Amino acid sequence: MAMLKFKINRFNPDDERRGHYAQEYELDVPKGYTVLDCLNDIKWKQDGTLSFRRSCRSGICGSCAMTINGVNNLACETQALALKSAVITIEPLRGYPVVKDLVVSLDPIVRGLMAVKPYMINKTPPPTDQERLQSPEDRERLEGLYECILCGSCTSACPSFWADKEYIGPHAFLKAYRFVADSRDEDARAHLEALDDKHGLWRCHTIFNCVEACPKDLNPTRAIAELKKELVKGKMG
Ligand code: SF4
Ligand code: FES
């Protein structure tokens, strides 16, 4: 148990003149409390106006991504005492429009995602008695690609996105490669189409911020490199 200070970035759309400001709270934090537990305690016992997004509380839904002591992370997977910091600073994910306090608009995430057609395209009718099968080797290729929870931490950390709000973003590139690499998908070109664009793959400068920011230890930069190869192959083929 330790008394910690939480410095939380606040914004109320009904009081735009005040703009963004930091508000401090103190909380006696028991061992085992995540940052999300702390935020819940503050909201339920100290200040019901504090807004943040959360759902699963177990690192699955991606809702609670926020910037904790300057690092993008999931609040529900971050142990408060393990931060070893008497003051914990919490801000909304950088780069996205803030709706209220720690809640950001997911529109840029969805827009990037829709550009890559994030679903399997296969016009061949499926077998009537079983699902579409693939070999263990083909399934292996999807490791590190299908686990994305769309938390938006990677794109929020990307300087190319800060400079270009139309940038499709590493979260969407990873999703595109998840389908391009899938042996059951029949139309890689459809996923790649939007990527060959000034807001697409070529704007990635291999800075690796997305890799560092991913709370699921995924590697969008590797997916981007593979997609670039696919685009070049398509141009030469
Ligand atoms: S790749 Fe990682 S950081 Fe990016 S949206 Fe998916 S889980 Fe979040
Ligand atoms: S609440 Fe779902 S990932 Fe944190």
Side-chain angles (χ1 to χ4, degrees), residues 40-74:
N40 281 335
D41 255 34
I42 292 169
K43 183 175 177 67
W44 294 334
K45 297 176 188 161
Q46 298 187 37
D47 185 351
T49 68
L50 180 64
S51 298
F52 48 95
R53 201 181 265 125
R54 77 283 195 200
S55 182
C56 71
R57 299 191 310 163
S58 48
I60 296 169
C61 73
S63 315
C64 68
M66 52 188 73
T67 307
I68 303 167
N69 282 354
V71 177
N72 290 355
N73 220 329
L74 299 175

Side-chain angles (χ1 to χ4, degrees), residues 144-145 148 153-155 169-175 177 201 204 208-214 217-227:
L145 302 176
C148 171
S153 292
C154 52
T155 298
H171 70 290
F173 298 143
L174 188 84
K175 188 63 76 182
Y177 190 56
L201 280 179
C204 168
F208 283 96
N209 275 16
C210 55
V211 179
E212 283 182 24
C214 180
D217 293 329
L218 304 179
N219 192 334
T221 303
R222 185 179 71 85
I224 290 167
E226 295 298 334
L227 287 168

